Amino acid sequence: MPQVAGFAVVKLDEAHTLCDAGIHKPVLCMGPFGGKDLDDAARRGIRPMIYTPAGPALERIAAQLQRTVPIHVCVDTGIGRVGIPFRQAASLVRDLAARKTLVIEGIMMTFTEDPQFDAEQLKRFQTLCSELSPAGVRVGKRHAASSFALFQRPESFLDMVRPGMALFGIYSEAAFRNAGIMNLRPAVALKARVIYTKKLAQGESAGYERAYVAASDVWVATLPIGHADGYPRAAAKGGCVRIGDTFYRVIASVSASHTIVEIGPELRVQVGDIATLYDAEEGCRPEDLSAAAGVSVYDLTMHLGALLPRRVL
């Protein structure tokens, strides 16, 4: 896909995974680098994100490799995490650009996602780039916009964008869903099979601290997934799962490894039935669970357990 300029990750092992999988497009690692990591990344062609005076170290690496080393420069325009402070950025960029063995492929910033302050951040970034250009300093592709900015700030698209949550087909904010800007369809689903059913008599309980007490005789079903797998505890405060074509509410308390759902006075599910915790269907999208349980969609997708079996379709 020519529209995809490359891939961006935060952890070096993620970059290694992409390279090992045969990805040939550029891979930008936006996490911090130690000396050994910097050397390893450069050897594998991974683009490091630079925001410290790393020029001499990069030149030594380039000399050892006998080729130029491509980099991206990170500028802190106000988020305060990593990045060279914007007032000091020009001198660092000029230093890196003057080194013949380095190639600045891009320059980047990250928004705070504060609507009023984001405009000031972008202004700082664009001013920096404009000041460097007359001096012949090439900063490569400028990129600032994450998924949030895709819906808020088209002026920040610049030369590239860095979508994250939108790649999952999920709206990062509820207001974006009906904004008519992009029609996203979730590309991820979370499912489990019913492993047990039982009938609770009136007054019997389920969950830690007897979080659920049956008001009348009722069937419940247990799913083998819990908050240790990334399904949030708060799902019991309003979340539902779909079994067949019917939605059943999550009850009691989501434990580390189990979730209980209320079936009703009649047993309408069987052990082995597939329960969908979220997918692309309306009413069962990640955004629907997020709204019902009062959790962020980031909590639903970013915290999925590494040991969960995955199927790529």
Side-chain angles (χ1 to χ4, degrees):
M1 295 179 63
Q3 300 93 335
V4 178
F7 298 85
V9 299
V10 176
K11 307 293 186 183
L12 186 57
D13 61 348
E14 295 175 309
H16 288 168
T17 298
L18 290 177
C19 293
D20 293 343
I23 295 296
H24 298 297
K25 288 199 173 187
V27 177
L28 168 64
C29 186
M30 301 189 295
F33 282 92
K36 183 178 179 181
D37 289 340
L38 187 59
D39 180 84
D40 182 51
R43 289 182 183 279
R44 301 195 63 168
I46 297 166
R47 278 66 173 163
M49 184 180 75
I50 302 299
Y51 50 90
T52 61
L58 288 165
E59 279 197 319
R60 287 193 296 271
I61 293 170
Q64 294 170 359
L65 298 177
Q66 297 186 328
R67 58 175 171 81
T68 57
V69 174
I71 62 174
H72 285 238
V73 179
C74 178
V75 179
D76 177 15
T77 58
I79 197 169
R81 298 187 308 195
V82 295
I84 180 75
F86 72 99
R87 292 186 179 88
Q88 306 166 23
S91 60
L92 176 64
V93 175
R94 283 194 291 265
D95 174 79
L96 294 170
R99 299 177 186 271
K100 303 299 183 182
T101 55
L102 306 183
V103 178
I104 300 178
E105 285 190 339
I107 187 167
M108 62 177 287
M109 58 154 281
T110 301
F111 286 113
T112 64
E113 299 182 2
D114 177 311
Q116 294 182 332
F117 186 58
D118 284 354
E120 174 61 23
Q121 282 189 274
L122 184 60
K123 179 181 177 181
R124 292 172 178 179
F125 186 67
Q126 292 178 314
T127 298
L128 169 67
C129 294
S130 298
E131 290 174 350
L132 290 167
S133 180
V137 177
R138 296 183 178 181
V139 296
K141 294 186 180 295
R142 302 162 301 148
H143 48 107
S146 63
S147 295
F148 185 90
L150 293 181
F151 290 90
Q152 296 276 15
R153 297 200 169 277
E155 71 274 19
S156 72
F157 292 178
L158 305 177
D159 302 313
M160 290 195 306
V161 296
R162 303 189 308 269
M165 183 58 71
L167 293 178
F168 289 91
I170 299 171
Y171 296 99
S172 56
E173 297 287 336
F176 300 161
R177 191 169 175 180
N178 299 313
I181 297 173
M182 281 187 284
N183 182 21
L184 300 181
R185 181 175 173 81
V188 60
L190 183 63
K191 301 183 179 185
R193 290 188 182 273
V194 174
I195 58 165
Y196 186 53
T197 62
K198 70 161 55 174
K199 189 175 186 179
L200 297 180
Q202 180 180 2
E204 292 185 329
S205 61
Y208 290 116
E209 300 179 346
R210 303 189 75 217
Y212 173 86
V213 177
S216 58
D217 293 358
V218 65
W219 284 90
V220 298
T222 301
L223 310 178
I225 188 169
H227 62 78
D229 305 300
Y231 190 61
R233 292 174 186 259
K237 297 180 180 179
C240 294
V241 303
R242 192 181 72 243
I243 304 175
D245 295 326
T246 304
F247 285 91
Y248 301 97
R249 71 186 184 102
V250 179
I251 60 169
S253 53
V254 175
S255 65
S257 302
H258 297 95
T259 295
I260 305 172
V261 297
E262 182 185 72
I263 303 303
E266 303 295 331
L267 180 59
R268 294 187 288 171
V269 306
Q270 303 295 325
V271 171
D273 286 352
I274 295 176
T276 300
L277 291 85
Y278 56 77
D279 64 2
E281 299 299 321
E282 286 299 323
C284 200
R285 289 175 60 121
E287 300 95 334
D288 297 318
L289 174 57
S290 169
V295 298
S296 165
V297 290
Y298 288 91
D299 292 334
L300 301 181
T301 55
M302 301 302 175
H303 298 163
L304 293 176
L307 298 181
L308 282 175
R310 286 162 165 77
R311 292 180 58 193
V312 179
L313 303 178

